[in-house]
Amino acid sequence: MAALLSVEDLCVEFRTDKGVARAIDGVSLEVNAGETLGLVGESGSGKSVTSLAIMGLIPSPPGRIVSGDIRFNGQSLPGLSQGAYRKLRGREIAMIFQEPMTALNPVFTVGSQICDVLRRHMGLSRKAARKRAIELLDEVGIPAPDKRVDEYPHQLSGGMRQRVVIAMALSCDPKLLIADEPTTALDVTIQAQVLDLIAKLAKDHGTATILITHDLGVVAEVCDRASVMYCGRIVETGDVGDIFDRPEHPYTRGLIQSIPRIRDDKLGRLPTIPGIVPDLLDLPDGCRYRDRCPQALERCGNFDPRLEQHGNTLAACFNPNSEAAK
Amino acid sequence: MIDDNDILLRVRHLKKHFPVKGGLLRRQVASVKAVDDVSFDLPTHETLGLVGESGCGKSTLGRAILRLHEPTSGQVWLDGIEVTAADKTRLKALRRDMQIIFQDPYASLSPRRTILETLLEPLQIHGIGSKAEQRKKVEDLLEVVGLRKAVLNRYPHEFSGGQRQRVGIARALTLNPKFIVADEAVSALDVSVQSQVLNLIADLQDEFGISFLFISHDLSVVQHISHNVGVMYLGKLVETASAKDIYADPKHPYTRALMSAVPVPDPKTKSRRIMLSGDVPSPMNPPSGCPFHTRCPEAMPHCSQQIPAATNVGSTASPHWVSCHLHGDEQTPTGPATKPPNAAD
């Protein structure tokens, strides 16, 4: 069975004053129905650009999809007209953004914003839409939904707002949900509530989910598979268990080791990744991680590693951890 | 037991209430109790981590200690000198000993000044050393925080977030402070850079014996860097203990819920979360009795009436203070106060 969403060798460029920056360079990924894929990476690694490309929301100019394909349900997305894309967005593919205050319109009540989606995509009547909106608010755990439905975003707390955004995203029962840092702006106790909610709803509705985050803890808790991005490329992909247990790419391992953990006993020094992420306008030749990599070989400077099977995961590395250990 | 002489910072019954004005005449109609009766001791060469959710008052506490916000009441002693009683001149002198590192290095560095100008300013204000000495000091500091001398004539926008935070740290170090408030100092940084900066802070503590009040919403970061950890909720410290004890054996239901909510970066341990219902109440109108009783899974009838007193459930050598009716009762209604420091007598 073909995957619900498959991204093949996607490249996106942005024109800037200083030159052309290739924000993502040859990204491939697949998501199946009912599955949650975690897209992890540090700022500037291209995870948000990947999601915007899937949604057809790359601002153009300055950005454009240079090459590659995005296939959703057997249909190629990049060539779609704006009108066709608009029918897809919200109905088939929905998105949850990081900051719920900017995702909601401050001058309309939350109810009217949810009703808009329902009436446009599902063709519901005004009355039916309002009834459904209240049900949705109830489903995402908002107390007194029949009152909240008439409130404005500023009257709700951050966690409540994010629930409204989730209710909106799920209102048309989408096949694919993209959540871009959905809990980063929330407090940890609220984050736990929202993550559980997304996981539960995805399971209940069989929705395929892409969860974009910089927090490996979040990935470990909710995702089935994970892809790690670095400098516009996916450097490792695999089941979450394997990624955390036996990461093959030195970057993945570096990331996992550099998270401070609760229940470490000693006040020791954290393992770190030396150096900083290279500038997208001035990338090194060969492997982009080479300058920071503890196990770089000579050929890492000359050739570009591609994603290949190493151990239990796919990693783009000439000297993956299982090899280096020998 | 920690000797009184080893206490660098002592905070007693510190309160910071912000007035809320309303009505036609802009009269005060209410107040936000951002920090409400907080007491603790910070020994020399140690780090106290302060955790809590947004709006719990942790940043306000940090600033009230430094008198960046004038406290409403309460006392703060730094190295035996009462900060809260100092006049303007005295306070300026005291500022040499207490500094702050801000969360956002983008916002806390002037975009119009070179790194050199930024780092020289504290030395000029306090008139320390000749021009050549000041320059030397700045160059030394850059080395300490791991930046090259070549950066001196550059502007903040030319740096990455991690480098900018290093500049922020260097600025806090210029006057050789004894005490630094690090307010979400690594929160804006990516994981790989965050670990570098955390190690730098730990190195600085070893090298210069600085005490830190490390404020963060990230419990794993706080546990990693702190000797002792305090948990704040609605302006009050609800639990304080050594980092080891508080994570291994949290006593307060809020601390437990907070700990269980942290996502663990290990797919094999599916954590059992204690879900808190609802949101943090408004500090303008905090609940009666225990501030946590509205969300507490173990609330009892009298929790809504009586404010729980801080009780030591640990030992004298390793105190573990908790303010909860589930643990002990009405010992000292004053928080973890032992006795007032001699300097105040």
Side-chain angles (χ1 to χ4, degrees), chain B residues 226-290:
Chain B
S226 309
H227 300 84
N228 290 296
V229 174
V231 179
M232 274 186 90
Y233 188 78
L234 276 182
K236 289 183 192 296
L237 261 182
V238 296
E239 185 163 3
T240 319
S242 72
K244 211 174 146 213
D245 287 350
I246 206 164
Y247 283 83
D249 186 20
K251 298 286 188 200
H252 199 285
Y254 178 64
T255 315
R256 283 188 210 151
L258 206 57
M259 303 279 172
S260 75
V262 179
V264 184
D266 181 357
K268 275 175 298 194
T269 50
K270 286 283 173 212
S271 54
R272 272 175 299 142
R273 296 208 188 107
I274 304 167
M275 280 293 170
L276 289 182
S277 53
D279 291 307
V280 183
S282 158
M284 217 159 97
N285 188 15
S288 59
C290 171

Side-chain angles (χ1 to χ4, degrees), chain A residues 43 187 189 193 196 221 273, chain B residues 53-54 190 196 203 273 276:
Chain A
S43 28
D187 275 317
T189 56
Q193 295 171 2
D196 273 19
E221 298 233 342
I273 300 175
Chain B
E53 300 181 273
S54 37
D190 271 319
Q196 295 171 3
D203 288 341
R273 296 208 188 107
L276 289 182

Side-chain angles (χ1 to χ4, degrees), chain B residues 157-288:
Chain B
H157 73 265
E158 298 174 67
F159 295 93
S160 70
Q163 288 172 317
R164 239 174 289 197
Q165 197 56 293
R166 285 173 196 268
V167 175
I169 293 172
R171 178 176 59 185
L173 290 174
T174 40
L175 299 168
N176 301 327
K178 295 173 187 154
F179 168 62
I180 295 180
V181 174
D183 188 359
E184 301 274 12
V186 300
S187 307
L189 306 176
D190 271 319
V191 184
S192 71
V193 180
Q194 170 179 293
S195 56
Q196 295 171 3
V197 174
L198 283 175
N199 285 352
L200 172 64
I201 290 176
D203 288 341
L204 294 173
Q205 181 157 60
D206 283 355
E207 201 174 327
F208 304 108
I210 301 168
S211 300
F212 282 92
L213 180 67
F214 193 91
I215 300 168
S216 178
H217 68 282
D218 188 329
L219 282 94
S220 11
V221 166
V222 163
Q223 195 253 356
H224 177 79
I225 199 145
S226 309
H227 300 84
N228 290 296
V229 174
V231 179
M232 274 186 90
Y233 188 78
L234 276 182
K236 289 183 192 296
L237 261 182
V238 296
E239 185 163 3
T240 319
S242 72
K244 211 174 146 213
D245 287 350
I246 206 164
Y247 283 83
D249 186 20
K251 298 286 188 200
H252 199 285
Y254 178 64
T255 315
R256 283 188 210 151
L258 206 57
M259 303 279 172
S260 75
V262 179
V264 184
D266 181 357
K268 275 175 298 194
T269 50
K270 286 283 173 212
S271 54
R272 272 175 299 142
R273 296 208 188 107
I274 304 167
M275 280 293 170
L276 289 182
S277 53
D279 291 307
V280 183
S282 158
M284 217 159 97
N285 188 15
S288 59

Side-chain angles (χ1 to χ4, degrees), chain B residues 48-214:
Chain B
L48 174 71
L50 207 55
V51 290
E53 300 181 273
S54 37
C56 72
K58 51 193 194 304
S59 291
T60 308
L61 174 59
R63 284 162 199 229
I65 290 170
L66 300 181
R67 281 182 68 187
L68 294 176
H69 286 320
E70 205 53 56
T72 308
S73 66
Q75 283 132 345
V76 176
W77 290 271
L78 184 77
D79 217 5
I81 302 166
E82 192 177 347
V83 179
T84 35
D87 59 13
K88 228 176 155 187
T89 344
R90 193 78 191 270
L91 189 62
K92 185 179 159 191
L94 270 170
R95 291 223 186 280
R96 284 181 176 202
D97 290 334
M98 44 185 207
Q99 287 290 320
I100 183 165
I101 304 168
F102 295 98
Q103 165 169 10
D104 188 352
Y106 297 71
S108 59
L109 296 174
S110 166
R112 291 163 191 273
R113 287 195 190 150
T114 62
I115 303 307
L116 178 66
E117 286 165 346
T118 295
L119 293 181
L120 277 180
E121 194 186 18
L123 296 169
Q124 289 163 345
I125 287 175
H126 289 274
I128 296 167
S130 65
K131 275 215 165 109
E133 282 163 0
Q134 290 178 351
R135 168 104 195 187
K136 173 89 177 37
K137 170 88 190 167
V138 169
E139 286 174 3
D140 291 348
L141 276 171
L142 282 184
E143 204 185 314
V144 169
V145 299
L147 290 171
R148 273 170 288 127
K149 241 189 263 177
V151 307
L152 276 179
N153 293 314
R154 295 215 210 137
Y155 290 89
H157 73 265
E158 298 174 67
F159 295 93
S160 70
Q163 288 172 317
R164 239 174 289 197
Q165 197 56 293
R166 285 173 196 268
V167 175
I169 293 172
R171 178 176 59 185
L173 290 174
T174 40
L175 299 168
N176 301 327
K178 295 173 187 154
F179 168 62
I180 295 180
V181 174
D183 188 359
E184 301 274 12
V186 300
S187 307
L189 306 176
D190 271 319
V191 184
S192 71
V193 180
Q194 170 179 293
S195 56
Q196 295 171 3
V197 174
L198 283 175
N199 285 352
L200 172 64
I201 290 176
D203 288 341
L204 294 173
Q205 181 157 60
D206 283 355
E207 201 174 327
F208 304 108
I210 301 168
S211 300
F212 282 92
L213 180 67
F214 193 91

Side-chain angles (χ1 to χ4, degrees), chain A residues 100 110 128 166:
Chain A
V110 296
I166 293 171

